[in-house]
Amino acid sequence: MIRVAVVDDHPVFRLGMAALLDSFDGIRVVGQAASAAEARTLLGLDLDEDPPGAGAGADVVLMDLDLGDGSGVDVTRDLVRADPAARVLVVTMHEDDDAVVAAVRAGARGFLVKSASPAEVERAVHAVADGAMILSPSVADRAMAYVVGGRTAARVPFPQLTDREREVLDLVAAGLDNASISRRLVLSPKTVRNHVANVLAKLAVRDRSAAIVRAREEGLGGPGST
């Protein structure tokens, strides 16, 4: 029996995925979490456990990347650090190279898009439980092209952000206000405000100042930003 924990902040998807997994022979859902904080509790990352990260006793953790109050990449990294034997299968809407690289570097053993078929989900869970690395077909094709092309995966700060959100954060860290960012990126002030709000939520910081500190720690906001 493969024991699975499902971490996703969208209740319809999470409950649907749990029901799908429970319908498969040899797979049983042993826990669910709707946020990064709940995931840490479920997986035993905020408790003194032996081994650390034993949590729900899951053999495989299905992990979303955007969890509202934090990043699934960060939770994955902390889980794998606490328990190197942990097996995480990322299931997300993102198919971009940055997300794949960030998830794999964090220690994920598989990467599926949410449009994957039930058969693909079942096969991925079994493969990851057996210790294999698995990518969805669309992701695998791009990953192969990435390798064959000889490109070197560079570390991308805050992989949970979209390219536009990261661009806005870079300018915020450089000291630009929303009006200046609006002019620089040719975006409406409302759109810039929405991007800033999304950045604060995804980084789980309370205000703009805290976001600037985090961004500068990751090298954003340098001379090239202005």
Side-chain angles (χ1 to χ4, degrees):
M1 182 68 66
I2 301 173
R3 298 163 297 177
V4 179
V6 181
V7 180
D8 196 290
D9 65 339
H10 292 89
V12 173
F13 179 83
R14 186 180 67 256
L15 294 172
M17 176 60 75
L20 174 65
L21 292 168
D22 275 333
S23 73
F24 297 141
D25 291 336
I27 297 177
R28 178 165 60 91
V29 174
V30 295
Q32 298 182 40
S35 66
E38 287 185 13
R40 292 179 184 279
T41 299
L42 176 69
L43 300 172
L45 295 177
D46 55 1
L47 301 172
D48 292 328
E49 296 199 3
D50 187 17
D59 301 306
V60 177
V61 179
L62 265 66
M63 182 75 68
D64 190 16
L65 292 184
D66 295 328
L67 295 175
D69 65 336
S71 166
V73 171
D74 292 337
V75 176
T76 297
R77 182 181 299 109
D78 291 345
L79 175 60
V80 173
R81 282 176 179 171
D83 179 10
R87 292 167 181 173
V88 177
L89 173 61
V90 168
V91 184
T92 180
M93 293 294 294
H94 300 290
E95 294 187 68
D96 59 278
D97 295 333
D98 290 350
V100 176
V101 171
V104 173
R105 284 188 170 183
R109 299 294 302 172
F111 195 101
L112 280 179
V113 292
K114 289 186 175 180
S115 58
S117 68
E120 288 175 321
V121 173
E122 183 178 20
R123 183 166 57 250
V125 169
H126 278 281
V128 171
D130 288 339
M133 170 71 76
I134 187 166
L135 300 175
S136 63
S138 59
V139 171
D141 288 344
R142 286 201 318 283
M144 182 59 69
Y146 194 85
V147 172
V148 172
R151 296 172 57 190
T152 301
R155 180 179 179 277
V156 177
F158 309 115
Q160 67 270 41
L161 302 181
T162 65
D163 290 341
R164 178 63 83 183
E165 289 166 350
R166 195 177 299 107
E167 187 176 18
V168 169
L169 177 59
D170 188 33
L171 294 176
V172 168
L176 276 65
D177 58 19
N178 285 3
S180 300
I181 295 173
S182 175
R183 291 192 295 271
R184 174 70 66 85
L185 300 181
V186 194
L187 298 172
S188 71
K190 180 179 179 181
T191 298
V192 173
R193 287 197 301 272
N194 289 339
H195 282 314
V196 171
N198 289 338
V199 167
L200 296 183
K202 289 184 178 181
L203 298 188
V205 295
R206 293 188 300 176
D207 53 34
R208 195 181 188 99
S209 296
I212 290 174
V213 172
R214 288 283 306 279
R216 289 179 177 173
E217 288 175 348
E218 292 293 326
L220 298 183
S225 302
T226 57

